[in-house]
Amino acid sequence: MNRRQFAKGLMASTALTVLGASLCFDGSTTPLLARPGDPAELPVPPLEQGRLENGRRIFDLSLQSGYSNFLPGLKTPTLGVNGPYLGPTLNLANGEKIELRVTNRIGERTTLHWHGLHLPARADGGPHQVIEPGETWTPSFTVKQKAAMYWYHPHLLHKTGLHAYFGMAGAIIVNDRQSDSAALPDRYGINDIPVVLQDKRFNRNGSLQYAVSMRDRMMGMMGDVMLVNGAIAPVLRATHGKIRLRFLNACNARTCKLGFADNRSFHVIAGDGSLLPVPIKTKSVSISPGERTQIIVDVRDGKVAELVTLPLNLAGRGSMTGRRGMMGGGMMRRMMGMTGDDGRYFRVLEIRPSGPLQPSNPLPDRLTTLPAPDLDKVSKVRRFVLNMGMGPMMMMGGGGFTINGRSMDMGRIDERVKLGATEVWEISNTSPMPHPFHIHDIQFRILDRNGQPPHGPETGLKDTVLVGSGETVRVIATFDDYADPQRPYMYHCHILEHEDAGMMGQFTVEA
Ligand code: C2O
Ligand code: CU
Ligand code: CU
């Protein structure tokens, strides 16, 4: 799959009709709108291997603006990396030295952050590593990751939501020795497919509509069209019996519960930062903004497997509604988008088995070994309370997005972590809606959620975790390798409008 084919894929999506193609379900499974015409082929971003120079793998990344064709006859101004929309999938190997040469050609300041990667703070690409227009920023570091899919996206203070929404994002696939020998589908673009999810809303002229209402800013920006690698409800022609899908939730605010229209089961094999210890058989899997998961779906029955989003059921996960009756019941909360769900569901991807299918390996019983979290090593417990400052101020759009009662301040270091320390971070959500909490630099294990052990994709290494209203999630991590008393890493809500409005804090790792 090269860049030209990717671009062609984007063009093909113009065969679809305008917003009608976004297939809204009414909460049951009956589509309200039929899909017109021939759907697009799933575009697959090119796999970028970079080039070797003096023992380093170099990647040239150009942040640029351009036009994309999502809707028939309409041009949409977008942002992308090495192209007008989204960017290449960077292919990294654990242990190798890499250098990223990021040139800013979008005409305004921005940054590029490597979400999920363990790296020196100066290379993180957070709000302190601003790239001025025309400048090139060249972080370099050694890849120290488990095999998994990570990603990159902009991170400029107050502008992350806008820049990411316009398309400046891409996947990073890291391989390690374990993954090379795991006998999992690994032919990129053939039986190993990145699926980048982003919901959008369009103006009549085809331009993207961003954060126009108070609701968009309060609940986060949700769209009514789901773009899948930049196409609407596209088709993937399967030539193998088992297909690995690597999902990236690159939505600004929407949590996606994914499953198949025929209710078939599949196996979840990975979370954010590692394979899972064992594959988990399920019929649905949820990812909140920033999170990734990987599944293996079996299409040897030759039937079309239609991937859809399903109604979220975050109630019963410690919602404040029942306990305090604050938002007047689930209906009210749903209407306000407070369940992380606005009642809109999408056709995501149609997998069409075509021709005789290539045989696939049986799924291994064990995928990876992760050492059990060691509570004896914990030197500190930190508490983080996520809040939205309910009340008249919030209703007026006054914000009040805070962590521990404070909004983000670039000049303030909120937490100082000792190099090498193992810590427990206890994240509580006292606001009426769920927040995906993300920590830079490290991968953590989830200890428990309201005292209950994690399950499904939460059993692997994670860098983002959804904390429901009223919930407390405890995670454990070790802050190794890189000390820098000056330059902080971020932790924040990955609903980008919340992050931009201040639900973010800074920590340093100090020797
Ligand atoms: Cu995915 Cu701080 O970001
Ligand atoms: Cu990050
Ligand atoms: Cu949030």
Side-chain angles (χ1 to χ4, degrees):
M1 228 356 116
N2 57 30
R3 165 55 59 180
R4 202 174 306 132
Q5 283 168 292
F6 182 50
K8 237 177 26 199
L10 289 181
M11 297 301 291
S13 70
T14 60
L16 286 162
T17 309
V18 199
L19 301 177
S22 75
L23 266 295
C24 309
F25 292 79
D26 61 0
S28 69
T29 50
T30 325
L32 293 176
L33 300 159
R35 181 171 37 203
D38 258 349
E41 295 271 340
L42 176 72
V44 176
L47 187 66
E48 185 56 68
Q49 313 273 6
R51 62 197 148 82
L52 280 174
E53 231 174 66
N54 305 324
R56 284 183 180 194
R57 195 173 290 281
I58 316 279
F59 293 88
D60 292 300
L61 301 176
S62 161
L63 311 181
Q64 54 196 74
S65 58
Y67 291 91
S68 301
N69 291 102
F70 302 122
L71 309 172
L74 292 174
K75 275 187 178 173
T76 304
T78 48
L79 296 175
V81 181
N82 296 357
Y85 184 72
L86 294 179
T89 299
L90 309 183
N91 195 189
L92 311 180
N94 184 36
E96 74 182 343
K97 250 199 154 168
I98 61 165
E99 179 174 313
L100 301 129
R101 298 186 180 161
V102 187
T103 303
N104 178 0
R105 298 191 170 95
I106 69 167
E108 63 178 66
R109 350 166 66 199
T110 190
T111 85
L112 203 63
H113 163 61
W114 324 104
H115 178 127
L117 298 195
H118 175 47
L119 35 57
R122 62 178 151 73
D124 190 39
H128 293 270
Q129 284 84 48
V130 173
I131 318 171
E132 298 291 340
E135 254 187 20
T136 299
W137 175 60
T138 54
S140 77
F141 52 93
T142 300
V143 180
K144 295 187 179 191
Q145 304 293 139
K146 291 239 175 211
M149 189 169 79
Y150 305 87
W151 66 301
Y152 54 88
H153 63 76
H155 216 303
L156 190 70
L157 189 71
H158 305 313
K159 285 277 188 92
T160 297
L162 180 75
H163 288 169
Y165 185 76
F166 273 75
M168 220 181 351
I172 301 173
I173 291 180
V174 175
N175 297 101
D176 65 11
R177 250 191 265 126
Q178 212 164 22
S179 65
D180 294 343
S181 63
L184 293 166
D186 63 357
R187 295 184 60 197
Y188 184 83
I190 296 172
N191 61 3
D192 181 356
I193 318 280
V195 179
V196 182
L197 302 171
Q198 290 181 301
D199 57 333
K200 302 289 170 214
R201 206 190 296 152
F202 291 90
N203 295 309
R204 274 177 199 284
N205 65 2
S207 61
L208 290 171
Q209 194 177 89
Y210 181 70
V212 288
S213 69
M214 190 197 83
R215 186 183 189 279
D216 293 343
R217 290 188 294 272
M218 294 309 297
M219 310 314 160
M221 179 68 202
M222 291 196 204
D224 48 16
V225 175
M226 184 62 81
L227 295 183
V228 184
N229 296 352
I232 301 167
V235 168
L236 170 70
R237 270 165 234 286
T239 52
H240 286 63
K242 288 182 187 168
I243 305 291
R244 175 191 204 164
L245 301 173
R246 299 181 188 244
F247 297 118
L248 160 60
N249 186 335
C251 299
N252 277 38
R254 182 183 297 279
T255 292
C256 298
K257 182 173 173 183
L258 298 161
F260 288 91
D262 63 4
N263 209 26
R264 75 177 62 200
S265 16
F266 53 87
H267 286 90
V268 181
I269 58 162
D272 294 336
S274 75
L275 293 169
L276 303 183
V278 293
I280 289 163
K281 195 174 175 186
T282 182
K283 290 187 170 179
S284 69
V285 65
S286 293
I287 42 171
S288 65
E291 287 186 301
R292 290 86 63 207
T293 189
Q294 299 178 31
I295 70 165
I296 304 250
V297 57
D298 191 332
V299 294
R300 285 176 300 176
D301 62 4
K303 296 201 182 104
V304 168
E306 172 144 52
L307 184 76
V308 296
T309 66
L310 302 163
L312 287 174
N313 188 12
L314 297 178
R317 279 184 41 173
S319 99
M320 282 175 72
T321 328
R323 224 167 301 150
R324 303 188 205 175
M326 212 170 139
M327 295 308 295
M331 197 54 204
M332 178 67 172
R333 291 176 76 239
R334 167 150 299 176
M335 277 166 55
M336 296 196 58
M338 294 220 167
T339 54
D341 186 343
D342 59 356
R344 230 180 258 279
Y345 307 105
F346 302 91
R347 279 189 172 160
V348 175
L349 176 66
E350 189 176 303
I351 305 173
R352 275 190 209 159
S354 63
L357 297 174
Q358 304 283 321
S360 305
N361 293 323
L363 201 54
D365 296 332
R366 291 208 61 85
L367 298 169
T368 190
T369 4
L370 300 169
D374 188 352
L375 285 167
D376 291 340
K377 284 205 188 121
V378 174
S379 54
K380 195 164 179 87
V381 178
R382 290 178 207 265
R383 296 197 170 78
F384 299 87
V385 177
L386 312 178
N387 207 354
M388 290 172 64
M390 292 296 294
M393 269 316 283
M394 173 194 156
M395 291 307 174
M396 300 300 294
F401 288 91
T402 57
I403 300 178
N404 292 341
R406 294 184 300 215
S407 280
M408 167 72 175
D409 179 344
M410 295 263 290
R412 183 189 69 226
I413 304 296
D414 297 279
E415 309 288 337
R416 294 175 191 275
V417 177
K418 272 243 163 318
L419 180 66
T422 297
E423 300 197 351
V424 168
W425 286 23
E426 187 180 298
I427 308 130
S428 302
N429 177 358
T430 57
S431 85
M433 68 177 287
H435 302 280
F437 189 81
H438 168 51
I439 309 174
H440 286 210
D441 180 43
I442 48 100
Q443 290 288 326
F444 54 74
R445 297 292 295 280
I446 296 177
L447 289 173
D448 46 39
R449 176 191 300 282
N450 292 338
Q452 299 301 308
H455 49 88
E458 300 202 322
T459 54
L461 288 172
K462 298 277 298 161
D463 52 56
T464 308
V465 60
L466 189 64
V467 185
S469 175
E471 288 186 342
T472 294
V473 175
R474 291 195 313 148
V475 306
I476 183 170
T478 301
F479 299 78
D480 266 340
D481 298 319
Y482 308 113
D484 188 331
Q486 249 89 56
R487 297 185 192 82
Y489 299 101
M490 305 295 128
Y491 53 85
H492 58 89
C493 173
H494 221 287
I495 290 177
L496 301 181
E497 289 67 38
H498 292 180
E499 173 192 330
D500 281 340
M503 200 180 267
M504 177 155 68
Q506 313 195 94
F507 72 98
T508 51
V509 175
E510 301 184 14

